PDB file of all heavy atoms in Angstrom:
ATOM      1  N   VAL A   1     -38.237 -21.047   3.815  1.00 80.00           N
ATOM      2  CA  VAL A   1     -39.489 -21.652   3.222  1.00 80.00           C
ATOM      3  C   VAL A   1     -39.615 -23.165   3.517  1.00 80.00           C
ATOM      4  O   VAL A   1     -40.183 -23.969   2.862  1.00 80.00           O
ATOM      5  CB  VAL A   1     -39.530 -21.471   1.674  1.00 80.00           C
ATOM      6  CG1 VAL A   1     -39.867 -20.049   1.320  1.00 80.00           C
ATOM      7  CG2 VAL A   1     -38.156 -22.004   1.008  1.00 80.00           C
ATOM      8  N   GLY A   2     -38.858 -23.583   4.597  1.00 79.00           N
ATOM      9  CA  GLY A   2     -38.982 -24.900   5.058  1.00 79.00           C
ATOM     10  C   GLY A   2     -38.105 -25.970   4.273  1.00 79.00           C
ATOM     11  O   GLY A   2     -38.519 -27.193   4.196  1.00 79.00           O
ATOM     12  N   LEU A   3     -37.020 -25.563   3.671  1.00 86.00           N
ATOM     13  CA  LEU A   3     -36.186 -26.520   2.822  1.00 86.00           C
ATOM     14  C   LEU A   3     -34.804 -26.722   3.287  1.00 86.00           C
ATOM     15  O   LEU A   3     -33.989 -27.017   2.603  1.00 86.00           O
ATOM     16  CB  LEU A   3     -36.249 -25.978   1.305  1.00 86.00           C
ATOM     17  CG  LEU A   3     -37.488 -25.910   0.649  1.00 86.00           C
ATOM     18  CD1 LEU A   3     -37.333 -25.252  -0.830  1.00 86.00           C
ATOM     19  CD2 LEU A   3     -38.130 -27.243   0.391  1.00 86.00           C
ATOM     20  N   ASP A   4     -34.662 -26.510   4.714  1.00 86.00           N
ATOM     21  CA  ASP A   4     -33.363 -26.592   5.212  1.00 86.00           C
ATOM     22  C   ASP A   4     -32.756 -28.052   5.227  1.00 86.00           C
ATOM     23  O   ASP A   4     -31.638 -28.194   5.338  1.00 86.00           O
ATOM     24  CB  ASP A   4     -33.240 -26.093   6.599  1.00 86.00           C
ATOM     25  CG  ASP A   4     -34.197 -26.738   7.572  1.00 86.00           C
ATOM     26  OD1 ASP A   4     -35.005 -27.599   7.150  1.00 86.00           O
ATOM     27  OD2 ASP A   4     -34.225 -26.436   8.742  1.00 86.00           O
ATOM     28  N   TYR A   5     -33.600 -29.066   4.808  1.00 85.00           N
ATOM     29  CA  TYR A   5     -33.182 -30.436   4.881  1.00 85.00           C
ATOM     30  C   TYR A   5     -32.658 -30.782   3.456  1.00 85.00           C
ATOM     31  O   TYR A   5     -32.022 -31.850   3.367  1.00 85.00           O
ATOM     32  CB  TYR A   5     -34.416 -31.314   5.209  1.00 85.00           C
ATOM     33  CG  TYR A   5     -35.627 -31.173   4.313  1.00 85.00           C
ATOM     34  CD1 TYR A   5     -35.687 -31.953   3.039  1.00 85.00           C
ATOM     35  CD2 TYR A   5     -36.622 -30.199   4.482  1.00 85.00           C
ATOM     36  CE1 TYR A   5     -36.787 -31.682   2.242  1.00 85.00           C
ATOM     37  CE2 TYR A   5     -37.621 -30.127   3.764  1.00 85.00           C
ATOM     38  CZ  TYR A   5     -37.712 -30.781   2.606  1.00 85.00           C
ATOM     39  OH  TYR A   5     -38.804 -30.681   1.688  1.00 85.00           O
ATOM     40  N   LEU A   6     -32.866 -30.044   2.464  1.00 88.00           N
ATOM     41  CA  LEU A   6     -32.439 -30.386   1.126  1.00 88.00           C
ATOM     42  C   LEU A   6     -30.952 -30.222   0.958  1.00 88.00           C
ATOM     43  O   LEU A   6     -30.379 -29.318   1.437  1.00 88.00           O
ATOM     44  CB  LEU A   6     -33.114 -29.547   0.051  1.00 88.00           C
ATOM     45  CG  LEU A   6     -34.578 -29.663  -0.467  1.00 88.00           C
ATOM     46  CD1 LEU A   6     -34.919 -28.741  -1.468  1.00 88.00           C
ATOM     47  CD2 LEU A   6     -34.806 -31.164  -0.740  1.00 88.00           C
ATOM     48  N   THR A   7     -30.277 -31.206   0.347  1.00 90.00           N
ATOM     49  CA  THR A   7     -28.862 -31.071  -0.006  1.00 90.00           C
ATOM     50  C   THR A   7     -28.853 -30.142  -1.256  1.00 90.00           C
ATOM     51  O   THR A   7     -29.641 -29.997  -2.086  1.00 90.00           O
ATOM     52  CB  THR A   7     -28.183 -32.381  -0.327  1.00 90.00           C
ATOM     53  OG1 THR A   7     -28.896 -32.953  -1.327  1.00 90.00           O
ATOM     54  CG2 THR A   7     -28.222 -33.307   0.852  1.00 90.00           C
ATOM     55  N   LEU A   8     -27.736 -29.390  -1.331  1.00 93.00           N
ATOM     56  CA  LEU A   8     -27.567 -28.381  -2.331  1.00 93.00           C
ATOM     57  C   LEU A   8     -27.444 -28.932  -3.774  1.00 93.00           C
ATOM     58  O   LEU A   8     -27.689 -28.455  -4.752  1.00 93.00           O
ATOM     59  CB  LEU A   8     -26.290 -27.397  -2.073  1.00 93.00           C
ATOM     60  CG  LEU A   8     -26.506 -26.543  -0.828  1.00 93.00           C
ATOM     61  CD1 LEU A   8     -25.162 -25.857  -0.545  1.00 93.00           C
ATOM     62  CD2 LEU A   8     -27.560 -25.466  -1.003  1.00 93.00           C
ATOM     63  N   ASP A   9     -26.935 -30.252  -3.857  1.00 91.00           N
ATOM     64  CA  ASP A   9     -26.782 -30.972  -5.083  1.00 91.00           C
ATOM     65  C   ASP A   9     -27.952 -31.837  -5.604  1.00 91.00           C
ATOM     66  O   ASP A   9     -27.954 -32.545  -6.495  1.00 91.00           O
ATOM     67  CB  ASP A   9     -25.578 -31.800  -5.132  1.00 91.00           C
ATOM     68  CG  ASP A   9     -25.563 -33.090  -4.267  1.00 91.00           C
ATOM     69  OD1 ASP A   9     -26.477 -33.060  -3.344  1.00 91.00           O
ATOM     70  OD2 ASP A   9     -24.741 -33.832  -4.328  1.00 91.00           O
ATOM     71  N   ARG A  10     -29.105 -31.716  -4.870  1.00 87.00           N
ATOM     72  CA  ARG A  10     -30.353 -32.541  -5.087  1.00 87.00           C
ATOM     73  C   ARG A  10     -30.713 -32.296  -6.511  1.00 87.00           C
ATOM     74  O   ARG A  10     -30.887 -31.171  -6.883  1.00 87.00           O
ATOM     75  CB  ARG A  10     -31.396 -32.192  -4.049  1.00 87.00           C
ATOM     76  CG  ARG A  10     -32.688 -32.838  -4.286  1.00 87.00           C
ATOM     77  CD  ARG A  10     -32.685 -34.211  -3.739  1.00 87.00           C
ATOM     78  NE  ARG A  10     -34.111 -34.818  -3.714  1.00 87.00           N
ATOM     79  CZ  ARG A  10     -34.910 -34.767  -2.735  1.00 87.00           C
ATOM     80  NH1 ARG A  10     -34.432 -34.298  -1.521  1.00 87.00           N
ATOM     81  NH2 ARG A  10     -36.149 -35.246  -2.851  1.00 87.00           N
ATOM     82  N   GLU A  11     -30.976 -33.414  -7.249  1.00 85.00           N
ATOM     83  CA  GLU A  11     -31.443 -33.172  -8.658  1.00 85.00           C
ATOM     84  C   GLU A  11     -32.856 -32.478  -8.718  1.00 85.00           C
ATOM     85  O   GLU A  11     -33.788 -32.985  -8.016  1.00 85.00           O
ATOM     86  CB  GLU A  11     -31.503 -34.403  -9.461  1.00 85.00           C
ATOM     87  CG  GLU A  11     -30.167 -34.958  -9.937  1.00 85.00           C
ATOM     88  CD  GLU A  11     -30.264 -36.196 -10.783  1.00 85.00           C
ATOM     89  OE1 GLU A  11     -31.126 -36.355 -11.506  1.00 85.00           O
ATOM     90  OE2 GLU A  11     -29.349 -37.113 -10.603  1.00 85.00           O
ATOM     91  N   SER A  12     -33.113 -31.535  -9.609  1.00 83.00           N
ATOM     92  CA  SER A  12     -34.351 -30.782  -9.649  1.00 83.00           C
ATOM     93  C   SER A  12     -35.509 -31.766  -9.930  1.00 83.00           C
ATOM     94  O   SER A  12     -36.597 -31.575  -9.273  1.00 83.00           O
ATOM     95  CB  SER A  12     -34.403 -29.696 -10.783  1.00 83.00           C
ATOM     96  OG  SER A  12     -33.297 -28.802 -10.387  1.00 83.00           O
ATOM     97  N   GLN A  13     -35.351 -32.811 -10.770  1.00 78.00           N
ATOM     98  CA  GLN A  13     -36.403 -33.690 -11.161  1.00 78.00           C
ATOM     99  C   GLN A  13     -36.864 -34.597 -10.002  1.00 78.00           C
ATOM    100  O   GLN A  13     -37.996 -35.141 -10.023  1.00 78.00           O
ATOM    101  CB  GLN A  13     -35.962 -34.469 -12.397  1.00 78.00           C
ATOM    102  CG  GLN A  13     -34.940 -35.465 -12.059  1.00 78.00           C
ATOM    103  CD  GLN A  13     -34.316 -35.978 -13.479  1.00 78.00           C
ATOM    104  OE1 GLN A  13     -34.168 -35.237 -14.452  1.00 78.00           O
ATOM    105  NE2 GLN A  13     -33.931 -37.228 -13.501  1.00 78.00           N
ATOM    106  N   THR A  14     -36.067 -34.641  -9.060  1.00 75.00           N
ATOM    107  CA  THR A  14     -36.522 -35.498  -7.817  1.00 75.00           C
ATOM    108  C   THR A  14     -37.324 -34.682  -6.790  1.00 75.00           C
ATOM    109  O   THR A  14     -37.670 -35.295  -5.718  1.00 75.00           O
ATOM    110  CB  THR A  14     -35.271 -36.173  -7.148  1.00 75.00           C
ATOM    111  OG1 THR A  14     -34.501 -35.148  -6.606  1.00 75.00           O
ATOM    112  CG2 THR A  14     -34.509 -36.963  -8.169  1.00 75.00           C
ATOM    113  N   LEU A  15     -37.369 -33.410  -7.020  1.00 78.00           N
ATOM    114  CA  LEU A  15     -38.216 -32.572  -5.999  1.00 78.00           C
ATOM    115  C   LEU A  15     -39.588 -32.761  -6.129  1.00 78.00           C
ATOM    116  O   LEU A  15     -40.170 -32.972  -7.281  1.00 78.00           O
ATOM    117  CB  LEU A  15     -37.795 -31.080  -6.268  1.00 78.00           C
ATOM    118  CG  LEU A  15     -36.337 -30.631  -5.997  1.00 78.00           C
ATOM    119  CD1 LEU A  15     -36.143 -29.300  -6.483  1.00 78.00           C
ATOM    120  CD2 LEU A  15     -35.973 -30.745  -4.508  1.00 78.00           C
ATOM    121  N   SER A  16     -40.366 -32.682  -5.130  1.00 70.00           N
ATOM    122  CA  SER A  16     -41.760 -32.712  -5.209  1.00 70.00           C
ATOM    123  C   SER A  16     -42.371 -31.374  -5.780  1.00 70.00           C
ATOM    124  O   SER A  16     -41.506 -30.428  -5.740  1.00 70.00           O
ATOM    125  CB  SER A  16     -42.452 -32.975  -3.805  1.00 70.00           C
ATOM    126  OG  SER A  16     -42.229 -31.842  -3.032  1.00 70.00           O
ATOM    127  N   GLY A  17     -43.617 -31.277  -6.149  1.00 67.00           N
ATOM    128  CA  GLY A  17     -44.222 -30.121  -6.739  1.00 67.00           C
ATOM    129  C   GLY A  17     -44.102 -28.880  -5.741  1.00 67.00           C
ATOM    130  O   GLY A  17     -43.666 -27.867  -6.085  1.00 67.00           O
ATOM    131  N   GLY A  18     -44.425 -29.303  -4.350  1.00 69.00           N
ATOM    132  CA  GLY A  18     -44.291 -28.237  -3.373  1.00 69.00           C
ATOM    133  C   GLY A  18     -42.881 -27.661  -3.079  1.00 69.00           C
ATOM    134  O   GLY A  18     -42.731 -26.489  -2.964  1.00 69.00           O
ATOM    135  N   GLU A  19     -41.889 -28.590  -3.167  1.00 77.00           N
ATOM    136  CA  GLU A  19     -40.516 -28.193  -2.969  1.00 77.00           C
ATOM    137  C   GLU A  19     -40.021 -27.265  -4.082  1.00 77.00           C
ATOM    138  O   GLU A  19     -39.378 -26.341  -3.837  1.00 77.00           O
ATOM    139  CB  GLU A  19     -39.671 -29.508  -2.956  1.00 77.00           C
ATOM    140  CG  GLU A  19     -39.876 -30.249  -1.581  1.00 77.00           C
ATOM    141  CD  GLU A  19     -39.042 -31.648  -1.399  1.00 77.00           C
ATOM    142  OE1 GLU A  19     -38.823 -32.085  -2.527  1.00 77.00           O
ATOM    143  OE2 GLU A  19     -38.739 -32.060  -0.430  1.00 77.00           O
ATOM    144  N   ALA A  20     -40.337 -27.729  -5.294  1.00 80.00           N
ATOM    145  CA  ALA A  20     -39.880 -26.912  -6.436  1.00 80.00           C
ATOM    146  C   ALA A  20     -40.563 -25.406  -6.436  1.00 80.00           C
ATOM    147  O   ALA A  20     -39.905 -24.407  -6.643  1.00 80.00           O
ATOM    148  CB  ALA A  20     -40.463 -27.608  -7.752  1.00 80.00           C
ATOM    149  N   GLN A  21     -41.847 -25.423  -5.928  1.00 77.00           N
ATOM    150  CA  GLN A  21     -42.436 -24.121  -5.863  1.00 77.00           C
ATOM    151  C   GLN A  21     -41.822 -23.245  -4.790  1.00 77.00           C
ATOM    152  O   GLN A  21     -41.687 -22.047  -4.961  1.00 77.00           O
ATOM    153  CB  GLN A  21     -43.951 -24.373  -5.669  1.00 77.00           C
ATOM    154  CG  GLN A  21     -44.789 -23.296  -5.915  1.00 77.00           C
ATOM    155  CD  GLN A  21     -46.286 -23.601  -5.864  1.00 77.00           C
ATOM    156  OE1 GLN A  21     -46.684 -24.422  -4.964  1.00 77.00           O
ATOM    157  NE2 GLN A  21     -47.133 -22.997  -6.688  1.00 77.00           N
ATOM    158  N   ARG A  22     -41.523 -23.852  -3.676  1.00 80.00           N
ATOM    159  CA  ARG A  22     -40.834 -23.129  -2.579  1.00 80.00           C
ATOM    160  C   ARG A  22     -39.510 -22.685  -2.982  1.00 80.00           C
ATOM    161  O   ARG A  22     -38.984 -21.527  -2.415  1.00 80.00           O
ATOM    162  CB  ARG A  22     -40.829 -23.956  -1.377  1.00 80.00           C
ATOM    163  CG  ARG A  22     -42.338 -23.854  -0.645  1.00 80.00           C
ATOM    164  CD  ARG A  22     -42.396 -24.691   0.635  1.00 80.00           C
ATOM    165  NE  ARG A  22     -42.565 -26.161   0.286  1.00 80.00           N
ATOM    166  CZ  ARG A  22     -42.056 -27.068   1.007  1.00 80.00           C
ATOM    167  NH1 ARG A  22     -41.287 -26.884   1.995  1.00 80.00           N
ATOM    168  NH2 ARG A  22     -42.322 -28.388   0.648  1.00 80.00           N
ATOM    169  N   ILE A  23     -38.731 -23.407  -3.801  1.00 86.00           N
ATOM    170  CA  ILE A  23     -37.401 -22.986  -4.235  1.00 86.00           C
ATOM    171  C   ILE A  23     -37.574 -21.756  -5.132  1.00 86.00           C
ATOM    172  O   ILE A  23     -36.851 -20.763  -4.988  1.00 86.00           O
ATOM    173  CB  ILE A  23     -36.633 -24.055  -4.908  1.00 86.00           C
ATOM    174  CG1 ILE A  23     -36.027 -25.145  -3.985  1.00 86.00           C
ATOM    175  CG2 ILE A  23     -35.497 -23.531  -5.724  1.00 86.00           C
ATOM    176  CD1 ILE A  23     -35.379 -26.240  -4.562  1.00 86.00           C
ATOM    177  N   HIS A  24     -38.525 -21.830  -5.937  1.00 84.00           N
ATOM    178  CA  HIS A  24     -38.952 -20.646  -6.804  1.00 84.00           C
ATOM    179  C   HIS A  24     -39.183 -19.415  -5.931  1.00 84.00           C
ATOM    180  O   HIS A  24     -38.858 -18.285  -6.217  1.00 84.00           O
ATOM    181  CB  HIS A  24     -40.133 -20.978  -7.645  1.00 84.00           C
ATOM    182  CG  HIS A  24     -40.324 -20.212  -8.870  1.00 84.00           C
ATOM    183  ND1 HIS A  24     -40.776 -20.824 -10.111  1.00 84.00           N
ATOM    184  CD2 HIS A  24     -40.041 -18.961  -9.210  1.00 84.00           C
ATOM    185  CE1 HIS A  24     -40.846 -19.872 -10.978  1.00 84.00           C
ATOM    186  NE2 HIS A  24     -40.362 -18.792 -10.500  1.00 84.00           N
ATOM    187  N   LEU A  25     -39.941 -19.679  -4.897  1.00 81.00           N
ATOM    188  CA  LEU A  25     -40.397 -18.507  -3.979  1.00 81.00           C
ATOM    189  C   LEU A  25     -39.280 -17.890  -3.381  1.00 81.00           C
ATOM    190  O   LEU A  25     -39.129 -16.708  -3.196  1.00 81.00           O
ATOM    191  CB  LEU A  25     -41.364 -19.279  -2.893  1.00 81.00           C
ATOM    192  CG  LEU A  25     -42.337 -18.239  -2.174  1.00 81.00           C
ATOM    193  CD1 LEU A  25     -43.249 -17.659  -3.186  1.00 81.00           C
ATOM    194  CD2 LEU A  25     -43.189 -19.174  -1.263  1.00 81.00           C
ATOM    195  N   ALA A  26     -38.302 -18.824  -2.863  1.00 82.00           N
ATOM    196  CA  ALA A  26     -37.060 -18.308  -2.166  1.00 82.00           C
ATOM    197  C   ALA A  26     -36.263 -17.585  -3.084  1.00 82.00           C
ATOM    198  O   ALA A  26     -35.669 -16.515  -2.704  1.00 82.00           O
ATOM    199  CB  ALA A  26     -36.133 -19.521  -1.732  1.00 82.00           C
ATOM    200  N   THR A  27     -36.172 -17.761  -4.443  1.00 84.00           N
ATOM    201  CA  THR A  27     -35.590 -17.075  -5.362  1.00 84.00           C
ATOM    202  C   THR A  27     -36.036 -15.773  -5.584  1.00 84.00           C
ATOM    203  O   THR A  27     -35.453 -14.706  -5.674  1.00 84.00           O
ATOM    204  CB  THR A  27     -35.531 -17.803  -6.769  1.00 84.00           C
ATOM    205  OG1 THR A  27     -35.181 -19.120  -6.545  1.00 84.00           O
ATOM    206  CG2 THR A  27     -34.628 -17.121  -7.815  1.00 84.00           C
ATOM    207  N   GLN A  28     -37.494 -15.555  -5.480  1.00 81.00           N
ATOM    208  CA  GLN A  28     -38.073 -14.318  -5.733  1.00 81.00           C
ATOM    209  C   GLN A  28     -37.887 -13.408  -4.506  1.00 81.00           C
ATOM    210  O   GLN A  28     -37.774 -12.169  -4.731  1.00 81.00           O
ATOM    211  CB  GLN A  28     -39.707 -14.603  -5.797  1.00 81.00           C
ATOM    212  CG  GLN A  28     -39.980 -15.297  -7.230  1.00 81.00           C
ATOM    213  CD  GLN A  28     -39.490 -14.500  -8.398  1.00 81.00           C
ATOM    214  OE1 GLN A  28     -39.720 -13.279  -8.376  1.00 81.00           O
ATOM    215  NE2 GLN A  28     -39.035 -15.222  -9.315  1.00 81.00           N
ATOM    216  N   ILE A  29     -37.838 -13.996  -3.283  1.00 78.00           N
ATOM    217  CA  ILE A  29     -37.567 -13.158  -2.128  1.00 78.00           C
ATOM    218  C   ILE A  29     -36.174 -12.537  -2.237  1.00 78.00           C
ATOM    219  O   ILE A  29     -35.974 -11.379  -1.966  1.00 78.00           O
ATOM    220  CB  ILE A  29     -37.663 -13.890  -0.829  1.00 78.00           C
ATOM    221  CG1 ILE A  29     -39.084 -14.508  -0.764  1.00 78.00           C
ATOM    222  CG2 ILE A  29     -37.365 -13.054   0.306  1.00 78.00           C
ATOM    223  CD1 ILE A  29     -39.235 -15.532   0.364  1.00 78.00           C
ATOM    224  N   GLY A  30     -35.309 -13.425  -2.771  1.00 77.00           N
ATOM    225  CA  GLY A  30     -33.825 -12.994  -2.966  1.00 77.00           C
ATOM    226  C   GLY A  30     -33.731 -11.831  -3.932  1.00 77.00           C
ATOM    227  O   GLY A  30     -32.831 -11.005  -3.837  1.00 77.00           O
ATOM    228  N   SER A  31     -34.676 -11.847  -4.994  1.00 80.00           N
ATOM    229  CA  SER A  31     -34.529 -10.699  -6.001  1.00 80.00           C
ATOM    230  C   SER A  31     -34.929  -9.304  -5.437  1.00 80.00           C
ATOM    231  O   SER A  31     -34.557  -8.450  -5.963  1.00 80.00           O
ATOM    232  CB  SER A  31     -35.480 -11.118  -7.106  1.00 80.00           C
ATOM    233  OG  SER A  31     -36.758 -11.054  -6.868  1.00 80.00           O
ATOM    234  N   GLY A  32     -35.831  -9.325  -4.347  1.00 78.00           N
ATOM    235  CA  GLY A  32     -36.203  -8.137  -3.709  1.00 78.00           C
ATOM    236  C   GLY A  32     -36.970  -7.204  -4.576  1.00 78.00           C
ATOM    237  O   GLY A  32     -37.003  -5.937  -4.365  1.00 78.00           O
ATOM    238  N   LEU A  33     -37.764  -7.739  -5.524  1.00 86.00           N
ATOM    239  CA  LEU A  33     -38.556  -6.867  -6.382  1.00 86.00           C
ATOM    240  C   LEU A  33     -39.791  -6.405  -5.557  1.00 86.00           C
ATOM    241  O   LEU A  33     -40.266  -7.011  -4.616  1.00 86.00           O
ATOM    242  CB  LEU A  33     -39.132  -7.681  -7.601  1.00 86.00           C
ATOM    243  CG  LEU A  33     -38.066  -8.218  -8.502  1.00 86.00           C
ATOM    244  CD1 LEU A  33     -38.751  -9.057  -9.570  1.00 86.00           C
ATOM    245  CD2 LEU A  33     -37.444  -7.045  -9.226  1.00 86.00           C
ATOM    246  N   THR A  34     -40.298  -5.216  -6.130  1.00 91.00           N
ATOM    247  CA  THR A  34     -41.523  -4.644  -5.509  1.00 91.00           C
ATOM    248  C   THR A  34     -42.529  -4.353  -6.604  1.00 91.00           C
ATOM    249  O   THR A  34     -42.062  -4.298  -7.799  1.00 91.00           O
ATOM    250  CB  THR A  34     -41.338  -3.356  -4.738  1.00 91.00           C
ATOM    251  OG1 THR A  34     -40.819  -2.384  -5.731  1.00 91.00           O
ATOM    252  CG2 THR A  34     -40.388  -3.490  -3.644  1.00 91.00           C
TER     253      THR A  34
END
């Protein structure tokens, strides 16, 4: 989802709206729901 530049310890509140949304998206893909 284009977030390979983020460090793993980056504070959530410093993420832009688009970055936060894409992390959410990555989590959903990982869940594998249908």
